[in-house]
Amino acid sequence: MTYIKTGISKTVFVVGLIAAILASSLISVVAMTQLSTTLGLKGEKGDKGDTGATGATGATGATGATGTQGPQGIQGPRGFTTPDYDSGWRSISAGQTLTLVHSLKTTNVYVYAIGMNGAGLVHQLDYGWSTSGLGTEHFGVAWYGLDQDLIYVNRGSADGNWDQVRVMIWKL
């Protein structure tokens, strides 16, 4: 039995395929070149567009070594914490005057007084005195007679709240 070959050989097929690819590339280049010249000249450069969103921040690097400590700064003013004089809690009776020796050698001071009743309540009730009736009954505590070394504290004769007094003084 005899077979008759019909068709094309592999070599002819490959050569034809390569020729077809080259021909289509050439047609594309020519078409694009011709179209660009028929559409007109290149225009001016346009305005810059908006800036895009900021990207994510990268990882933080390692902390560097601690530097040397600087010199000590100047001493600031003393704060309003510890008084220059503190009488501590002193018992005081109704109508009594206490003489407190502060020895600060100045009257340029800030005086602060607080009281405590028999139940332990710390207060400033009637601080500086108050009166009732015809002014003959005095309540609370008042200080007076401040000098370079002393201060006097008096409890009103009718007072029932200042069983103890504490006087603190700061130099200004």
Side-chain angles (χ1 to χ4, degrees):
M1 207 161 129
T2 320
Y3 289 100
I4 302 175
K5 289 186 171 180
T6 59
I8 59 172
S9 70
K10 286 184 188 178
T11 305
V12 172
F13 178 76
V14 170
V15 168
L17 184 61
I18 292 173
I21 292 172
L22 290 174
S24 67
S25 296
L26 179 64
I27 291 171
S28 294
V29 168
V30 169
M32 291 307 295
T33 305
Q34 292 302 314
L35 283 176
S36 67
T37 57
T38 59
L39 292 178
L41 299 174
K42 182 178 177 182
E44 294 181 19
K45 185 175 181 178
D47 294 333
K48 185 175 180 180
D50 294 335
T51 302
T54 301
T57 301
T60 300
T63 300
T66 301
T68 59
Q69 184 171 341
Q72 174 70 36
I74 61 169
Q75 179 64 40
R78 191 172 65 128
F80 193 69
T81 55
T82 305
D84 296 297
Y85 171 78
D86 188 342
S87 69
W89 288 106
R90 299 284 185 94
S91 294
I92 187 169
S93 301
Q96 180 184 0
T97 298
L98 293 178
T99 302
L100 302 175
V101 180
H102 60 74
S103 302
L104 296 177
K105 304 298 182 202
T106 183
T107 57
N108 188 20
V109 296
Y110 174 77
V111 178
Y112 181 71
I114 55 177
M116 186 186 312
N117 66 12
L121 174 71
V122 178
H123 63 83
Q124 283 190 318
L125 299 171
D126 300 315
Y127 177 58
W129 275 18
S130 63
T131 60
S132 69
L134 298 174
T136 57
E137 294 181 327
H138 297 100
F139 299 90
V141 165
W143 63 265
Y144 65 95
L146 174 71
D147 69 16
Q148 301 281 324
D149 296 302
L150 303 173
I151 187 169
Y152 300 95
V153 180
N154 184 263
R155 180 179 176 188
S157 59
D159 180 73
N161 288 313
W162 287 75
D163 297 320
Q164 293 186 44
V165 65
R166 182 177 180 186
V167 176
M168 291 168 273
I169 304 175
W170 286 263
K171 289 182 183 179
L172 299 179

